[in-house]
Amino acid sequence: MTSRIVILAVVARPLYLVILLASVWVLLRGHDEPGGGFIGGLMAVSATILWAVAHGTAAARARLPLGDALWPAVIGLLLAALSGVPGLLGGGAYLTHLWWTLALGPAELKLSTVLLFDIGVYLAVWGALAGYALALLAVDERDQPGGAP
Amino acid sequence: MSVAGRTLFTLAPLTALVAVLWVLGTQTLPFDFGWDWIPALDIELAFRIDGLSALMLLMITGVGVAVFVYAGGYLSGHPDQKRAYLLLSLFMVAMIGCVTADHVLVLFVFWEGTSLLSFLLVGFYHERRESRKSAQQSLLVTGTGGLILLAGFIVLGQAVGSYRLSEIIVAVPAMAPTPALTLAMGLVLIGAFTKSAQFPFHFWLPNAMAAPTPVSAYLHSATMVKLGVYLLARLDPAFGEWPLWVWLLKGVGSVTAAWGMVLALRERDLKRILAWSTVATLGTLVVLVGLRGESASLAVGALLLAHALYKAPLFFVAGNIDHGAGTRLIDRLGGLRRQMPWTAAAALLAAASLAGLPLSFGFVAKDVISEAKGLGEVFTFARMANTVFGTIAVAVAGITAVRVFWLRVPPGGVREAHEGGAALVLPPLLLGLVGVVLGVYPLLAQDLLAAAAAAMSPAGAGNAVPAPLDPQPDLGSLLLGLMFGVAVFLLWDRCHRGLEWLAVRTGRIGMSSVYERSLEWIPRVAAWTTRRMQTGSLPAYVAWVLASVVLALGVMLWLGSAEWTWPARAVPSPGVAGAAGLIVLGAVFACLMRDRLVVLLSVGLIGYGSAVMFLFLGAPDVAYTQFTMETVFVIVAAAVLLKLRRMGLDRAVPEPAWRPGALLLSLLVASVLTALLLAVYATPFDPVLSAFFGEQSVPGAYGRNVVNVILVDFRALDTLGEVAVVVLSLLAALPILQAWRRRARARRPGVGT
Amino acid sequence: MIWAVAAAVWITLASGVYLCLSRDVFRVALGLAVVGAGVNLALLASGRLGAGLPAVVPKGEQLLVGASNPLPQALVLTAIVIGFALVCFSLALVLGLIRDAGTDDALELRAAEPVPGDEVKPPQTDPAHAPDWPPEGRP
């Protein structure tokens, strides 16, 4: 292991956290400022790839929600699909979004099915594209202990 | 199949016959009825029963009853008897539809229905190779003819402005013979000629004798082959005044009549002899349709009816002989009258009609025909063809009724033979008797034939009352015909040998072998085009597709180019100009560089350049997405590339560094698409949607980032679908990549297990 | 402005198609990505180029005024993600192809219909369909 890779491995942990936090921030502010589920998801993918380059694809895969790329992808898809159901039950068309405002003292928290939908997109993009990226990156890995499954 | 089952099936034509009689008895002709079918295309299930339809309907259902009864005996015990009944029933329905349809497209549907069903019926003994081949041949000839007929109908309908037969025959005589009408006439003629086995499409009919005898009797006496004649007679009022129509009908019909009769002499198989004589009769019918005048129309009806009444029983007789004696070859048959007396009687009745002896309906028909020819100006060749036809008809009648039953006991004595049951004997006897009854009392058929003749006459002329069917025996010509016929009958074997000698030497130019050769050419042409189009080269395929795109878009742009103005030129902002520079740099490097890694980086440069461009065009969301995506892509693709390099595939594929053809095509594609973009840009912009999203985003969806609001709210279902596509494509790709890893590990024992 | 964008679209499409017409399947996959980028640019431009301001309603406002057209942006955004999936999928196909056929040269793919003695499509010389992969002797 060369010193370059050691440095990458050391830097990867804080960077990974920072990128993931940033991606969540981009996701949450997306409705009002540039950002949203797609961009947030792609940022999360880049965090995963950073981990894969530093520690191998198997380790990166293990750090994904529920330990595999397919889980976030499928859960995100389900979440996005289900976020349309309340609107349907409320008498609107499928994917008619509902909004609630919670007053928390001075600030107020806006909750909506739109947020659920966007989180679903975020998870699905993260899972699906990370799945692609990890599978393709794994092609180049020597079959070493600790490599990809 | 039980007797009850057979009876049940036989009820089908019986019911139809009763229904036809009821309609004829209670309604005044022509009788119209119909339902909507495809209102959008103005296609109506329109039906019309007039005199000609009534004649055809009576033959279809009447002979149908006989055939259904006969099939019960003939196919008794056959495991697929039900299938035969079902197909025959469907066939009868298709035939009824054909002769009653008033809308030409409806007629076409039923027409092709008869072709398809005749394919299944001729190929009934599907385990025999010959049978399958004959079925295929009849389907190819009549089915192709049907498609040509459809083309003709469409051209005709467009030219006339109506798809109703009843309106076409009124409208066409008033129209000038435009090229479109002439084309339509030619196409319709080809369709009718294939169906009615006219020269040069005559060869399929005798081969179709591979069918079971009831099927042959039905298809080739009363129904399917008569359809062509029916259609010609139906359209005769429309085109009857056209010299081309008249001459084509007379010419083709005469050749077919003469040629069919001569070829009948070649055969040894009873059914094939009858088949050729059917071809000849069809030719005569076509000539009669071509002749002008009321009595010609009357003759068409009379011969249609007479032929159905004698040919069906003769087929039944041939089937009985096959059934009872085990062969249909006339060399091995003779003196069967003792074993098969009833069949012999039926054969005599029917053959008398075929030969045109007095007191048979054939004689009446013959009389009307000669009257028709006497009235109209007569084509000499048609008269000669008719003479040949009449002569050999007598001979054929002799062969089928006299020779096999009374004469020529073959060496080794009379074959073991036995008479079939009532189901085999009654149908031919009954039909033969009807022929004789109508021969003795021709006035019974007078109204029917007169109505049919009126339907075949041009509008307005149909009021003339035709001459009553009262045959005046012209003894001289009758005796002359009989003498010639008997002579041919006696010299049959000699004629046969001579013709066989000729046929062996001229086989290659016969239509049958032309058909065979053209069949062989189909796979050859297919192989050739496949070789040329499907070269197995991926770049060639891509080039085909792209060239087609260029052609389609190019033509479209060129056609609309007069209305466009190019967008105004303006100095781009520095950001956009810089981004464009990055893109140009990346594109040029991507094309020029040989090393794959450099190409990959150049592609990445294009992506980053377009991201910068998105940013300066006011699309920050898109720009961030493109940045992140491009980074991920370059890393992933680099990993794949490194793997390829480690496998020894880093050397570029040996292709020329400079591919002018590909460059030209790529420049063309890019130019056409860019021109399309500029053309779109120059047209006025419709801001309805964008304005709606801009107005509704904050008050309606509580979001200020309009792009994101569109994605997750206004067009959320769209987004959901796209995300689902991405996830699903991963599910498709994972197995491919996992198989790769499994394989790699399997090659390295001891690792990863 | 549009002419600069059009020029970028033109050269992107041209180079992408040029790559797609290559015999090298890796290049074809890359060409797909380039064509995708060009089409995305064209799609965005077809929604008209405005002042270049982001399509974000300023705080406190109700209406989007004077910003670029948001609709093509939304379409292009999803197109980019789908395009990435498409290119990754074609890379997977390239790898599968190399695994099965043992070559990355599109003209050497002769497994589909090798007819002996055919001049257009020479038969596969190596009858062993499965390639020796990874090649023995190479680490």
Side-chain angles (χ1 to χ4, degrees), chain B residues 159-179:
Chain B
V160 175
S162 166
Y163 284 88
R164 291 295 196 88
L165 274 171
S166 49
E167 290 167 12
I168 287 173
I169 58 174
V170 174
V172 171
M175 297 170 71
T178 57

Side-chain angles (χ1 to χ4, degrees), chain B residues 76-111:
Chain B
S76 174
H78 193 285
D80 283 338
Q81 195 180 19
K82 259 184 205 150
R83 185 158 62 92
Y85 268 127
L86 190 64
L87 291 174
L88 280 171
S89 306
L90 287 173
F91 182 82
M92 184 182 72
V93 171
M95 278 303 302
I96 291 174
C98 260
V99 298
T100 52
D102 191 35
H103 195 288
V104 287
L105 296 182
V106 178
L107 170 61
F108 165 77
V109 169
F110 285 114
W111 182 286

Side-chain angles (χ1 to χ4, degrees), chain A residues 31 35 97 132 138 140 142, chain B residues 621 646 704-705 712 729 741:
Chain A
H31 214 52
H97 289 304
Y132 266 120
D140 183 40
R142 314 279 183 98
Chain B
D621 295 271
R646 210 162 330 130
R704 290 189 292 109
N705 181 359
V712 299
S729 78
R741 290 191 60 75

Side-chain angles (χ1 to χ4, degrees), chain B residues 531-532 535-539 542-543 546 566-570 572-573 576 583-584 587 590-591 593-594 596 599-600 603 606 610 613-614 616-622 625-626 629 632-633 640-641 644 646-649 653-655 657 659 662-663 665-667 669-671 673-674 677-678 680-681 683-685 689-690 693-695 698-699 704-707 710-711 715 722 726 729 732-733 736-737 739-740 743 747, chain C residues 1-6 8-15 17-28 30 33-34 37 40-42 44-49 52-64 68-71 73-78 80-82 84-85 87-89 91-93 95-96 98-100 104-107 109-110 113 115 118-121 130-136 138-139:
Chain B
R531 274 290 155 244
R532 289 287 163 272
T535 55
S537 149
L538 178 65
V542 177
L546 290 174
W566 296 111
R569 278 189 204 91
S573 67
V576 173
I583 291 175
V584 170
C591 292
M593 289 298 145
R594 305 280 289 164
R596 284 178 175 170
V599 174
L600 174 61
V603 169
I606 299 177
S610 65
M613 190 168 271
F614 286 138
F616 282 101
L617 291 177
D621 295 271
V622 184
T625 312
Q626 176 79 31
M629 198 281 287
V632 174
F633 170 67
V640 172
L641 202 55
L644 294 184
R646 210 162 330 130
M647 292 187 320
L649 282 174
V653 167
E655 76 181 336
R659 292 173 286 138
L663 185 68
L665 184 58
S666 52
L667 288 181
V669 173
S671 302
L673 288 174
T674 309
L677 169 65
L678 288 172
V680 166
Y681 203 85
T683 55
F685 180 58
L689 276 180
S690 307
F693 292 134
E695 282 163 16
V698 173
R704 290 189 292 109
N705 181 359
V706 185
V707 176
I710 291 175
L711 280 174
R715 297 180 56 81
E722 278 153 358
V726 172
S729 78
I736 302 174
L737 292 165
W740 163 281
R743 195 183 175 100
R747 295 280 171 120
Chain C
M1 195 80 92
I2 179 64
W3 285 91
V5 178
V9 169
W10 182 77
I11 194 149
T12 311
L13 287 175
S15 65
V17 170
Y18 187 75
L19 287 176
C20 277
L21 286 168
S22 167
R23 284 164 60 180
D24 180 345
V25 285
F26 188 76
R27 254 170 225 254
V28 174
L30 290 184
V34 177
N40 285 341
L41 270 178
L44 191 83
S46 68
R48 303 302 185 277
L49 306 175
L53 296 174
V56 177
V57 182
K59 232 171 186 154
E61 301 276 330
Q62 293 285 307
L63 286 182
L64 186 67
S68 52
N69 188 354
L71 183 60
Q73 293 188 30
L75 300 182
V76 170
L77 207 148
T78 48
I80 289 173
V81 176
I82 290 212
F84 178 76
V87 176
C88 283
F89 191 82
L91 279 179
L93 285 182
L95 285 170
I98 290 174
R99 185 194 67 216
D100 289 342
D104 53 359
D105 184 350
L107 287 192
L109 302 174
R110 293 285 181 222
E113 35 170 337
V115 180
D118 191 281
E119 79 279 6
V120 182
K121 225 178 195 184
D132 179 24
W133 209 257
E136 298 297 326
R138 281 199 195 126

Side-chain angles (χ1 to χ4, degrees), chain A residues 29-77:
Chain A
R29 77 163 200 164
H31 214 52
D32 288 327
E33 305 289 336
F38 277 102
I39 308 168
L42 273 168
M43 285 175 75
V45 173
S46 62
T48 301
I49 284 180
L50 174 71
W51 200 266
V53 172
H55 297 288
T57 53
R61 190 182 300 272
R63 289 194 85 88
L64 286 172
L66 299 177
D68 191 49
L70 279 179
W71 279 113
V74 171
I75 290 173
L77 200 56

Side-chain angles (χ1 to χ4, degrees), chain B residues 9 34 79 119 145 224 233 264 328 389 406 515 653:
Chain B
F9 269 112
F119 167 74
M224 184 165 106
R328 298 192 306 248
F389 171 72
W406 270 272
Y515 166 84
V653 167

